[in-house]
Structure formats: C-alpha cells, structure tokens
Amino acid sequence: MTEHTLTVAGVAVDTRHWIGGERVASTETFTDVSPIDGSLLGEISRGTAMEAAAAVAAAKAAFPAWAATHRAERARILHAVADGVEKRLEELAIVETCDNGALLRSHRRGVMPRVAHNFRFFADWLLKLEHEDFETRGHTNHVSWDPAGPCVLITPWNAPLMLATWKVAPALAAGNTVILKPAEWTPLTASLLADIAAEAGLPAGVLNVVQGYGSEIGDALTSHPDVRRISFTGSVPTAKRIAASAAANLTPLSLELGGKSPLLVFADADLDLAVDLAVEQYDNAGQVCLAATRFLVQESVAEEFTRRFVAKAGQLTQGDPRDEATDIGPNIHPRQLEKIDGFVQRAIAAGARAVIGGHRGDGQYYAPTLLTDVAQDSEIVQEEVFGPVLTLQTFATEDEAVRLANDTRFGLAATLATGDPERAERVTAQLVAGTVWTNCFFVRDLQAPFGGSRHSGVGREGGTWSFDFYCDVKNTVTAPNGWRNHG
C-alpha cells in the first residue's frame, strides 16, 4: 500500500483524482467515514478549481479523437468496461456498502449488475441509433447525433456507482469525454471505476474523476466555457446554483432532482399487494428519490391498510447492511440524520402522530416511521425528507386522490394500487409525474424516458433520449439530383 491508497474490506482504493489518464493528488484532503459504524475509511484528495480546470482541459484534449472513434470501437470498449465491472463485482459491492451503508445483498444482486448493464445497454443502443430518412419536396432529410464535447456529471451518494454510470455510459457512448464529480460522502467506487475503465482500454482523458466538495469545485466545473453538457442528480437548491452557473455559457442541463411521490391506494386494490408496495418504500433506509413517501388511502380501507402495514413493517430487520438478514441499514451521514429527525420532531410538535417509529436508533440508524394526522400544507407532506419517514392521509373520492397526489411542487414519480383498469387509466392520465407505476414499483427499463416534472427535474434520459441530450442532433437536407460531375 502507498500513502495514496486505502484498504476497505481488503480492497485497495486509490484516494487521488484521475485526470488525463494519471493519478493526481491534492495538497488537501477530506475525510471519508462509513455510516455503518462511524469508522474512518480514509483521507481523500480534496479537489480545487485547479484540479477542476485540469480535468476539463484533459477532457477537451481527448475529445476529438474519441469523437472520431468508430461507433463499433466505442461500443467494444464500453463492453470491456462492463466486463471489468462484472469481474470486480464483489469488490465494488463491499466497498460501496462500507461507503454508503446500503445493503450488501442489494449491491451484489441488483445494483452492481445494473452498473455493468448500463454500459452494455448504451453500447448496444449506440449501434442501432438511427432515424429513418424522410423526404421534403423531393429533398432527403438525414438525422444524425454528433458528440457534443466535454460533459460534467455530478452524482449523488444514495446509489453512487449505479447513478454515476447511468450518466457516464451514454455520455461516453455518444462520443463525449467526461468529468465525473462523485458525492464527497461516497467517493470510493468512482475511483475504482477509473481503474476499470483504464484497464478496459478507454483512452486517457476520456474519463476523468475529480473528488471534493461541490462548494469548492462545483462552480469551476459548471461555469467552464469548454463544458458542453452538465448532468446533475441531487437537491433542488444545488440544481438552482448549477443552472445559474451554467447560464453564462448556455450549457445544456439535465437535472434529476427531489421527489415527494404519492402511493394511491383505492378501496378496490389488492390490499396485500398495496401493503407490500408501501413497505418497499423503506428501501435503502428511505434514501431513494423515487420513493412513494406519501400514502393516500381511500377512507373505507385506511384502517385495515394501516393495520396490515404496521404488521408487515414490524417484520423488517434494521442493522448492519453487510448482514444478509438486514432489511434497513443506516442513513448516510450525521448531518442527514439530524435533518430527518428535525422533520419528524417538527411534524409531531405540529400534531402528527407516529404510528411506528418517530425516533432515532443507535448510531446513524433512524427507526422506520409512519406519521398520520398530517395536514396537506404541512412541511412533512410538502418537503423531501430522504429518510425512512412516510406519511398517511385519507381521501374519499377519486378526484380528491388526484388533487392530493398532485398538490406538491414535485413530480418525479407516482404509484397506484387499484383493481380497476379503467380507474388506473383515468388516474394515471391526470398524475403529474415522470414515471407512474400501477400495481408495481421500481420496474425500470433503460430504454424508457426517465426524469421529473416541476421541481423534480429538467429533461429526460434513457434510450434515445440520452443521446438526444448528450449529442448535438443534426438534420442534413440534400437536394435531389443536385450533384455535378466535375470530371
């Protein structure tokens, strides 16, 4: 081991940035701590505007050659990256669990396989990306997707590598170069990804990883005139700062932001299914942007739904996420735990009742919580908590259910439980959301559009929508029989 290497569960992780195909250390560091038990993971290079500028310069220098690389070769390299992810899947899973506290079993079975799938999907989509030529008064229109240039990708801590590669993979497939800025609370798997990409043959400078605090390097990245795309997943206040920073250069943005999504349960629903969907909202200790944190239950079944929910939630095991028996792990950081508890205690002081939970556990664990007797205009109903805290309200009619569901500033997702397909069609047509699930939850396909409405985001990514964002879409119009033979 060197002074720039730390070991997590037997896995060596380089703590330096990855810029232009080389490891670059900063003079200052920041501390990375595991949410599982508060143990020190290591000291990480703390980027400044200097490292941010160097990463953009490296991406700019590497862009022409990567953009000119044939589609098939870019796809081959992305598949090689996926191979590397699969080869190191167990290492990635345990490192990320130690770094962000999510369940190890989920990382092994779902999250890290999805990381590899992100690369394979966009590599394959690239090879079939086309728009049928069409004619206008005898002229031929041909649509193409041109690489845009260096892309800044700023990613969150709740699913660090999966959400990073959801952006990295299409950006690279499109022929762009990337500057990845991982969340400072979870930097480790981004560093491992840099190693994997280099081993897979990705040319130097095509992928760069800069670590540090957004407040210190964010503006240097998002305001840089050589950056041609910015994609961010995180909070609304941070998104507003990024948008203001990018405005000077009119840099296109893709923003995936917060949610306060509803779960609508109608009296004709399969209540066992509805309860299963409801308990699933505690996944990842409630740190899921898509989570349906507001239960809206029809009055006639609300009491029975609540009884079954309490019984089902009582079977959950909270504890060490490395244990296969654990269902709920810790929350990410003491600051986030304070935020969660503040929401709950203010709600209780305002008259809410904690049916279950309503308090901290040991360490960075928060008890799974369900609050009732909450007003529609209350903070706990209107603002994203991002923890294992759910609310329950009742409604009498379908129209009231839709009104309550749409009555926040967010519009990321919605979940609907009903046994009536006609009702499902009526209600889903009226819900303001980027994704609606009917009698299911968290079924995701990478070819589907993903994003939010209102304050939940700007734009859509997934399938061709990703290439539309990460490329300059061009239409070439050719006149009929307009060629001259210059002999």
Side-chain angles (χ1 to χ4, degrees), residues 362-434:
D362 295 330
Q364 285 176 214
Y365 295 78
Y366 203 88
T369 297
L370 177 66
L371 301 175
T372 60
D373 302 333
V374 292
Q376 178 63 21
D377 62 355
S378 64
E379 177 192 55
I380 197 68
V381 170
Q382 293 294 326
E383 298 299 327
E384 185 178 48
V385 177
F386 222 60
V389 178
L390 311 171
T391 62
L392 189 150
Q393 299 165 268
T394 62
F395 63 86
T397 67
E398 187 177 297
D399 287 345
E400 184 184 11
V402 171
R403 179 181 62 78
L404 292 173
N406 288 338
D407 187 22
T408 75
R409 64 192 174 111
F410 297 104
L412 187 56
T415 304
L416 173 66
T418 178
D420 184 345
E422 293 182 358
R423 166 175 281 149
E425 186 175 354
R426 284 194 307 272
V427 171
T428 57
Q430 298 175 74
L431 293 175
V432 179

Side-chain angles (χ1 to χ4, degrees), residues 131-154:
H131 189 292
E132 185 176 352
D133 288 354
F134 56 98
E135 289 194 0
T136 304
R137 298 188 300 277
H139 296 65
T140 301
N141 293 265
H142 176 73
V143 177
S144 57
W145 287 261
D146 293 351
C151 301
V152 166
L153 311 179
I154 304 173

